[in-house]
Amino acid sequence: MKILDKEIITSQQNKIIKHTKGLQLKKNRRIYKQFIIEGIRIIEECLLHQLSIEYIIYSEELMKLQGGNLLLENAMKTYRCYQVSHDIFLKLSDTDNPQGILAIVNMKNRDLESISIGEDAFWVVLDRIQDPGNMGTIIRTAEAAGADAVVLTKGCVDPYNSKTVRATMGGLLHIPIIETKDNEEWIKPLKNNNVKLIASDLDTKETYLDIDYKGNIAIIIGNEANGIDKELLQQVDVSVKIPILGKIESLNASIAAAILIYKAIEHKA
């Protein structure tokens, strides 16, 4: 495959630079259906799986890192690549010690209708999760456990902001992420496909060890401060808690999610 000619951008007023910087804002990510990923590892992931990259921007700092030249050489075989100065790159980067490479990735248009709910379906639902680190870690865990999709209710943090994207460690690129406007939008189709809704809730006597995870299931994790919405809790099939044996009140949302997700796949194995 022919290597593309290298293009150099020297001005911050260049349309590519302006567009990239604009994607730091949620409203622009939604308009253009694109988001930024940054760093050698996650861009290698994109190249490996031939994901939809619009273009790549890099600086001379990339060449100083082990594997940087090879990564760029491979990237230029397929994608448009623009070289900028380190100073310009710093304007675009959201990390403290940037590696000198970022990419603009096209979002996949995902909705409930596009995902087949087959036998032994396994979904993860996040209800108003606000912390980007929690959101990203749960997405990463769900993808690692082979979940079919992650549903985000209205009020969740943007899954495509930089902190969330970093926390997913590439998981966001693989597992379907479905953002919903109201709960009925996802509850009805899941229940129509005999998906059992399992909610994580401290106000119940039943523990996560007591229930059957076989068949079609969806694990629901609630807001860090307030838990799962009360109206949503009324529609779930079963609520379970993770026993707290020490003196703290509750577990971190991403830890609770990981425990439930892997308990579920233990039963499914």
Side-chain angles (χ1 to χ4, degrees), residues 3-4 21 61 69 83 96 111 162 181 213 227 244 248:
I3 296 178
L4 301 176
K21 191 167 182 59
E61 293 299 306
N69 280 300
Q83 183 178 353
D96 293 331
D111 53 36
S162 60
K181 296 178 181 177
Y213 295 86
I244 303 296
I248 61 168

Side-chain angles (χ1 to χ4, degrees), residues 75-92:
M76 291 178 71
K77 293 177 181 178
T78 307
Y79 303 111
R80 289 183 294 154
C81 297
Y82 301 99
Q83 183 178 353
V84 299
S85 69
H86 185 55
D87 287 341
I88 290 179
F89 193 89
L90 289 176
K91 302 289 186 183
L92 306 176

Side-chain angles (χ1 to χ4, degrees), residues 8-44:
I8 299 175
I9 296 174
T10 59
S11 171
Q12 293 186 40
Q13 302 307 310
N14 180 279
K15 64 180 181 180
I16 294 294
I17 302 303
K18 285 185 172 182
H19 178 71
T20 304
K21 191 167 182 59
L23 293 176
Q24 293 173 348
L25 300 177
K26 178 180 178 178
K27 67 175 184 179
N28 290 328
R29 292 194 291 270
R30 299 300 168 176
I31 290 171
Y32 296 105
K33 300 190 182 303
Q34 295 175 334
F35 63 101
I36 302 171
I37 61 172
E38 184 176 349
I40 289 176
R41 183 172 177 179
I42 193 169
I43 292 176
E44 284 179 336

